Amino acid sequence: MALDAFVMSVYSRGNNIDMEKYTVIIPTRDRAETLESTIRTCLRQTYENFEIIVSDNFSNDNTKEIVEKFHDPRIRYINPGYRLSMSGNFEFALGHVQDGFVMFIGSDDGIMPDAIKYVDSIVKKYKVDAVSCQQATYVWPNFPDKTIAGRLVFGGIRNDIEIRSSNEWISKVLSFESFYCFDLPNLYCGFVHKRIIDKAYQDGRYFRSITPDAYSAFATAIFVENYAFSFRPFSIAGASMKSNGASSLHQSGDGKESNKFYAENDIDFHEEFVSCPSFEFSCAEAFAQLAKVFPERCTAYKIDYKKMLQNAVKNSNERTVDEVKSAVEIMASRFLVDINSDSGINIRFDLVRKLKNLFYVMSDPLGAIGIKSSYLCGINDINDAALASHLLMSRRGSPIFVRKMIFISSYFNKLIRLLGLRKIT
């Protein structure tokens, strides 16, 4: 049986009467080389009431042709007709959704086979309006840092669902006990119901920060008491040559994509913060922007400015450290934080730790499981990575089994033959 046929045959199609609607939005700009693979991951769904919206931010490449060649009624192509900022394109796309659950993914990201059916089962069981997950991660072969290109991390020891308190996790994120916004109820690579999204609109606008993923995570969290967090990944975060975060934050980034991002931006960075390549500053700034719009819902939460500044320097790298330290000095004065009395603020960058934070590679205290050079297994894009992750995590049982097989096997090809995986065409 063909691999695709096997993956989809383990599920049965249902009736779409009274089925909740699910929409995956893919904002994109000049990323035709990765978009096709991203779309293919989304099409491996048997859940029927499902739509993919590709929001093409006036690309100069063959993005439209890539979308049209699928000839799939589940795909809707939209284009504003002129170039927007990143947040502007997110806003434009969100305006095309009327109801149901919504998720944004990047055009080098993906979702797992039958992710929608899995998420819907969580929604029905736990009666939640937001579902996030511990994401799988994949570094595309064209990523500028060749030492991590091809790295695929697809799970950990835990495989359960946790019902989380939004209050608790907002506080953890703003105390920088949790990295960036990944533990919050995410609209980016997680699902949020439109009725919750609608609560965060004001004056016809949703996104109010230069960083739409972090902003939407906080904007969801302040309007849901609890949300479901799946330790089994249903989305897979990709990092490729044109990833904005890699361009801005990674040691090997050339800044080309981030320069475009800042040049096109039409939202003023919050006046209390200094814009620079830092996950910590982006996260805190997004919350501060939200607090301007919904002060009554945000007054209970406080940003730990000292921890923010410490972590920003600690997690910088040789390329970004001077810019980050300059911003830290300015903000330390604004927030009345004494950085000179705390040696922790001057902790030297540790490259290994940075890479672990950025890609979750073996940094999960629960134990991350992955393949270092997945291209040796014939995995060359996010579509291959999603299929392989799905098979490795569910085809042959528990994550512990997979971990043993990875360490026991001397050759990746032997592992692939053992699991029945082959090159996906």
Side-chain angles (χ1 to χ4, degrees), residues 14-189:
N15 193 311
N16 64 5
I17 298 175
D18 297 326
M19 296 175 75
E20 188 72 76
K21 174 76 176 290
Y22 286 82
T23 302
V24 174
I25 298 175
I26 309 173
T28 190
R29 181 198 63 185
D30 299 327
R31 282 194 191 176
E33 68 273 18
T34 58
L35 175 64
E36 180 174 351
S37 178
T38 291
I39 293 174
R40 289 191 185 282
T41 73
C42 297
L43 292 176
R44 284 201 178 90
Q45 312 297 315
T46 58
Y47 190 92
E48 291 188 338
N49 198 5
F50 164 60
E51 182 179 37
I52 304 161
I53 297 177
V54 178
S55 186
D56 179 8
N57 193 4
F58 203 56
S59 294
N60 293 315
D61 61 9
N62 61 326
T63 291
K64 186 175 182 180
E65 289 76 12
I66 290 293
V67 177
E68 290 178 339
K69 81 175 191 176
F70 282 99
H71 302 292
D72 194 301
R74 293 173 292 179
I75 304 175
R76 181 155 50 122
Y77 173 87
I78 58 175
N79 188 322
Y82 55 92
R83 185 59 59 86
L84 298 172
S85 66
M86 178 186 287
S87 290
N89 191 29
F90 275 56
E91 192 80 54
F92 171 72
L94 190 57
H96 287 75
V97 179
Q98 300 301 316
D99 58 3
F101 281 87
V102 185
M103 175 170 70
F104 283 83
I105 62 171
S107 49
D108 57 4
D109 301 330
I111 63 175
M112 297 297 182
D114 247 321
I116 309 300
K117 195 168 189 177
Y118 172 65
V119 171
D120 188 62
S121 71
I122 295 172
V123 168
K124 288 178 178 176
K125 181 175 181 178
Y126 297 103
K127 312 299 181 186
V128 290
D129 285 327
V131 184
S132 293
C133 72
Q134 182 75 46
Q135 287 181 275
T137 59
Y138 173 68
V139 185
W140 284 74
N142 67 4
F143 192 76
D145 185 349
K146 298 309 177 185
T147 66
I148 59 172
R151 186 162 288 172
L152 172 62
V153 178
F154 49 84
I157 293 174
R158 292 188 65 174
N159 202 33
D160 58 324
I161 307 297
E162 184 175 85
I163 302 303
R164 292 183 166 180
S165 160
S166 291
N167 288 339
E168 177 186 352
W169 282 94
I170 291 173
S171 296
K172 285 184 177 182
V173 171
L174 295 180
S175 297
F176 302 92
E177 299 172 28
S178 174
F179 185 66
Y180 197 49
C181 60
F182 299 127
D183 283 302
L184 291 173
N186 284 292
L187 181 55
Y188 192 86
C189 293

Side-chain angles (χ1 to χ4, degrees), residues 31 36 61 69 150 158 175 181 197 232 239 260 272 290 325 351-352 374 385 393:
R31 282 194 191 176
E36 180 174 351
D61 61 9
K69 81 175 191 176
R158 292 188 65 174
S175 297
C181 60
I197 295 170
R232 168 184 163 185
K260 291 179 185 178
E272 291 184 349
L290 181 71
K325 281 186 174 180
L351 179 59
V352 175
S374 63
M393 292 301 293

